[in-house]
Amino acid sequence: MEEAMYQRLKVAKARLEEIDNELIKEDITNDMNYFRSLNKERASLEPQVEKFNEYLMTVENKKQAFEMSKDQDLEIAEMGKEEFKNLSQKEEQIVDELHILLIPKDPNDDKNIIVEIRGAVGGDEANIFAGDLFRMYTKYAEVQGWKLQILDASPCEAGGYALISFKIKGDGVYSKLKFESGAHRVQRVPKTEANGRIHTSTATVLVMPEADEIDIEINPADLQIDTYRSQGAGGQNVNKTESAVRITHIPTGTVVACQTEKSQIQNKEIAMQMLRTKLYSDALAKQEEEIGNERKLKVGTGERSEKIRTYNYPQNRVTDHRIGFTIQKLDRVMEGELEEVIDALVNYDQQMKLAGQK
């Protein structure tokens, strides 16, 4: 292990001990913000320190195995040599794992997300595919134990959505789904196609980390707030009261809308959350562009125009073009079994960041 890495881990181990000593103090919960920040820091340090302790134990056992390998009893010496070899391989593996654990964590990884899916090129078929993607993410969220809330929707007569916005809440949501932004392409025979020809259509996905009020400030004077009657599903509430809310952020021209709740106050609250998240996401994109090379280490750029993935129904194939990853499990992926694709993206991103550190 490199000396710099060793010293960094020693500091992390000492800091974890400090935090544990703080957390056992009787008055620690008097300041809940401090208490929460300590627990958050502890959660980020613990995996590194546990793996470092495993490394230290392996190094110590390796020393003992080396001493055994010099024993005059040939049988014991042979056992020592074999143990030394196995522990050397384990040490290398642990160091590789520690490299990954020490990659600077995206501060947004633990955040909930707001997702927008839009039907793009392909008319009705694009909107139907947008609906299929929404169903896919809904199924994946169920498997992960996350909660999903629809924020806004524009359903289409032929099926699917011209636009659907939703929030996913749970542990590490953004860390799993942050690479889904971009243009998703589908190749299949549409239900409306009489001659059985394969069509190509696209839908765009935008994944944004949910912003808190402390993340971004909004001047009320910069807002234009309109109310209108809800459209689509909503029972007796539809078209009877102006409960739907549309908010325009005048300086940027950003527009958000919500009509899923019966109360205008609730819809306004949700729309404000959507607006904060959009403005925060735009600010992050600008920041990454200014940093420069950091953006190149990410999987793609997250732009909507970037074709990131193809779903080919005749061949039951899913291909992620950014990393050249293909699996013949489209039927399972559309049922929410996204883990294999997501793991490949996360691993690729980690390798790119490791390469950037070296």
Side-chain angles (χ1 to χ4, degrees), residues 62-228:
K62 191 175 154 188
K63 288 178 183 176
Q64 294 175 13
F66 181 71
E67 291 301 318
M68 277 180 63
S69 70
K70 297 188 291 182
D71 197 280
Q72 292 183 355
D73 186 314
L74 294 180
E75 189 174 344
I76 293 176
E78 191 59 37
M79 286 173 58
K81 289 177 184 176
E82 186 64 26
E83 183 69 5
F84 183 84
K85 179 183 175 183
N86 292 337
L87 289 169
S88 295
Q89 291 174 347
K90 184 179 180 182
E91 181 186 358
E92 288 180 15
Q93 182 184 339
I94 292 172
V95 170
D96 288 342
E97 291 171 1
L98 279 166
H99 274 295
I100 292 171
L101 287 171
L102 288 173
I103 292 173
K105 191 177 180 184
D106 186 332
N108 292 310
D109 274 354
D110 292 328
K111 290 189 179 234
N112 302 322
I113 61 172
I114 289 178
V115 184
E116 282 186 1
I117 303 178
R118 297 176 184 268
V121 179
D124 287 342
E125 173 63 8
N127 295 333
I128 291 169
F129 180 50
D132 293 338
L133 289 176
F134 171 63
R135 180 178 178 275
M136 176 184 77
Y137 292 126
T138 300
K139 292 274 188 182
Y140 180 67
E142 288 174 1
V143 171
Q144 298 296 315
W146 297 336
K147 291 182 180 178
L148 186 146
Q149 175 190 8
I150 296 176
L151 304 178
D152 191 26
S154 299
C156 299
E157 288 185 14
Y161 301 92
L163 162 70
I164 183 161
S165 301
F166 53 98
K167 175 179 176 180
I168 303 181
K169 186 177 181 181
D171 293 334
V173 177
Y174 185 69
S175 69
K176 291 273 191 178
L177 294 178
K178 62 184 174 182
F179 301 125
E180 293 301 297
S181 290
H184 295 239
R185 180 174 69 173
V186 63
Q187 295 173 325
R188 64 185 177 189
V189 179
K191 295 175 183 176
T192 54
E193 172 58 54
N195 297 321
R197 290 178 301 179
I198 295 173
H199 286 224
T200 298
S201 306
T202 58
T204 60
V205 176
L206 179 62
V207 177
M208 300 169 285
E210 184 183 30
D212 300 319
E213 288 189 38
I214 58 172
D215 290 327
I216 195 154
E217 292 182 13
I218 298 175
N219 185 346
D222 290 338
L223 302 179
Q224 177 184 319
I225 302 175
D226 302 304
T227 59
Y228 58 98

Side-chain angles (χ1 to χ4, degrees), residues 9 18 58 79-80 86 107 130-131 137 143 150 155 167 209 215 228 251 263 274 308-309 327-328 338 352:
L9 288 163
E18 287 178 9
T58 301
M79 286 173 58
N86 292 337
Y137 292 126
V143 171
I150 296 176
K167 175 179 176 180
D215 290 327
Y228 58 98
S263 160
M274 294 168 70
I308 65 166
R309 193 175 298 150
I327 52 172
Q328 307 289 141
L338 271 168
M352 290 299 98

